[in-house]
């Protein structure tokens, strides 16, 4: 039987003291992120298995699930938090909110390790290899919610039917009498934005193969979408009706602002469809037609997958996809 790799051997190979190696592996202490990553990588390469008696909670012992987002206190994160909290409570777990800071010294994986969480939901985040390694070394499972990239490093993910939602938007705008079309794309072009654009274009080619379609880009915000849409709306000729698909509700609000600035009326001159169905969509004037993605249900599904895994089930190998729904309101 091969001999157990010692902590001293890990420390020597990583070029640190035994005390530093111990703090890095336990998630304790104030260490430089690069040092912590080097020790973890060395331990992994040597096959070091840390003795649970050395400190720190075993995974799942605290009956906690962590929800990690890049920001809180906006309409999207409020929906995610509400869905995750309900699912965690139903399974007898508490939900911990963890904000990811886009800085080199952000050690959220180590804080989660110290808590002994049963699992982690990462919302709209593309984790780095070192962040995943820190969680994997502690045997803490991860589920991605709405991953930004198609490559998910083999992790379970929860998403919605973005492509089908884009297709529904195209067919609806064509049915409502649009004579020209525009799509407002988000930049950076995340996975879900690309899928929505692809679905829109494919469906439009089927129902209106000769349609005039222009694409503009904005930074996923209302102000950028307004500026991107202004030239398109200014070029609208008398008698034309422009059908606009914005890849988020916030960008759809920017299209509303552009319409007001150019004297175009919604829905007489411009028909607008958004995507998300966040709480502000129905309060626009007129209320926004949008593709609803079931954000609360998606967050709940992510948490449920983790709590079931803690009870012995396997995490689903394929993405969990919840369906979109077109919600028709006054903008079309």
């Amino acid at each position: 039987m091969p001999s157990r790799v010692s902590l001293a051997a890990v420390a020597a190979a990583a070029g640190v003291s035994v005390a530093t190696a111990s703090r890095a592996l336990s998630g304790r202490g104030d260490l430089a992120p690069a040092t912590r990553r080097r020790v973890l990588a060395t331990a992994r390469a040597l096959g070091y298995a840390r003795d649970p008696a050395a400190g720190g909670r075993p995974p799942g012992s605290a009956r906690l699930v962590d929800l990690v987002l890049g920001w809180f206190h906006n309409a999207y994160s409020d929906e995610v938090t509400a869905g995750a909290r309900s699912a965690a409570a139903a399974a007898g777990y508490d939900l911990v909110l963890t904000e990811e800071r886009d800085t080199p010294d952000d050690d959220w994986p180590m804080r989660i390790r110290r808590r002994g969480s049963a699992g982690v939901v990462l919302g709209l985040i593309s984790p780095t290899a070192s962040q995943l390694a820190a969680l994997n070394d502690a045997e803490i499972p991860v589920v991605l919610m709405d991953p930004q990239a198609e490559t998910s490093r083999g992790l379970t993910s929860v998403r919605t039917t973005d492509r089908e939602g884009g297709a529904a938007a195209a067919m609806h705008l064509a049915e409502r009498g649009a004579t020209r079309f525009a799509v407002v794309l988000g930049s950076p072009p995340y996975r879900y934005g690309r899928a929505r654009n692809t679905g829109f274009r494919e469906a439009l080619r089927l129902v209106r193969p000769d349609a005039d379609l222009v694409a503009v880009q904005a930074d996923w915000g209302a102000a950028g979408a307004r500026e991107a849409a202004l030239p398109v709306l200014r070029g609208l000729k008398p008698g034309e009706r422009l059908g606009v698909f914005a890849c988020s509700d916030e960008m759809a609000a920017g299209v509303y602002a552009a319409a007001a600035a150019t004297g175009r009326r919604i829905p007489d001159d411009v028909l607008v469809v958004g995507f998300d169905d966040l709480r502000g969509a129905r309060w626009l004037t007129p209320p926004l037609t949008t593709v609803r993605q079931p954000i609360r249900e998606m967050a709940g599904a992510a948490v449920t997958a983790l709590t079931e895994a803690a009870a012995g089930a396997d995490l689903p190998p394929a993405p969990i996809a919840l369906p979109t729904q077109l919600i028709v309101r006054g903008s079309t």
Side-chain angles (χ1 to χ4, degrees):
M1 181 176 179
S3 60
R4 183 185 180 93
V5 177
S6 67
L7 179 62
V10 173
V16 299
S17 68
V18 171
T20 296
S22 177
R23 291 200 303 274
L25 292 166
S26 66
R28 298 194 304 267
D30 185 14
L31 297 179
T35 300
R36 196 185 300 277
R37 288 195 296 269
R38 186 170 75 252
V39 172
L40 290 172
T42 302
R44 202 161 54 247
L46 294 177
Y48 174 77
R50 186 168 174 269
D51 184 356
R57 293 180 179 271
S61 62
R63 295 190 70 82
L64 301 175
V65 172
D66 270 81
L67 171 63
V68 183
L69 291 172
W71 60 88
F72 287 89
H73 307 304
N74 62 18
Y76 178 86
S77 62
D78 287 350
E79 289 291 302
V80 174
T81 302
R85 183 179 60 240
S86 295
Y93 283 75
D94 291 323
L95 184 71
V96 179
L97 305 183
T98 300
E99 185 170 356
E100 183 203 40
R101 304 186 309 273
D102 191 17
T103 58
D105 62 344
D106 187 10
D107 65 343
W108 60 263
M110 303 310 297
R111 299 198 304 273
I112 290 173
R113 283 177 55 145
R114 289 195 293 271
R115 286 194 282 271
S117 293
V120 182
V121 177
L122 299 182
L124 296 177
I125 289 174
S126 297
T128 65
S130 61
Q131 289 170 339
L132 289 177
L135 298 171
N136 184 61
D137 287 347
E139 299 180 346
I140 298 176
V142 175
V143 172
L144 303 178
M145 179 175 164
D146 234 358
Q148 294 177 335
E150 195 58 57
T151 301
S152 57
R153 302 178 188 270
L155 299 173
T156 295
S157 66
V158 179
R159 56 187 69 183
T160 193
T161 52
D162 295 286
R163 192 165 179 165
E164 291 82 349
M171 297 181 72
H172 179 69
L173 288 171
E175 290 169 357
R176 290 300 168 103
T179 59
R180 294 178 56 195
F181 299 85
V183 57
V184 184
L185 306 173
S187 181
Y190 296 126
R191 172 201 60 79
Y192 38 82
R194 296 195 304 271
R196 294 166 194 176
N197 178 41
T198 297
F200 183 83
R201 288 175 176 273
E202 289 176 344
L204 190 60
R205 279 198 298 267
L206 286 176
V207 297
R208 298 284 297 278
D210 299 323
D212 178 12
L213 171 63
V214 62
V216 296
Q217 286 193 326
D219 60 358
W220 293 99
R226 176 188 181 277
E227 296 305 309
L230 280 173
V232 181
L233 294 178
R234 287 181 180 135
L236 198 61
K237 296 179 175 60
E240 291 183 327
R241 298 187 78 200
L242 180 67
V244 181
F245 173 48
C247 285
S248 76
D249 286 351
E250 189 170 354
M251 291 195 294
V255 176
Y256 273 54
T262 55
R264 309 302 185 187
R265 296 172 300 172
I266 300 173
D268 300 319
D269 306 312
V270 184
L271 303 158
V272 186
V273 177
F275 200 109
D276 286 330
D277 196 27
L278 297 175
R279 60 175 175 254
R282 67 194 64 187
W283 305 122
L284 291 172
T285 305
L288 176 65
T289 293
T290 188
V291 179
R292 178 183 182 269
Q293 60 168 330
I295 299 171
R296 289 196 185 202
E297 294 87 341
M298 291 161 63
V303 169
T304 298
L306 290 171
T307 58
E308 290 178 350
D314 292 330
L315 284 172
I320 302 169
L322 278 65
T324 52
Q325 179 185 4
L326 182 69
I327 305 297
V328 179
R329 299 193 181 102
S331 67
T332 56

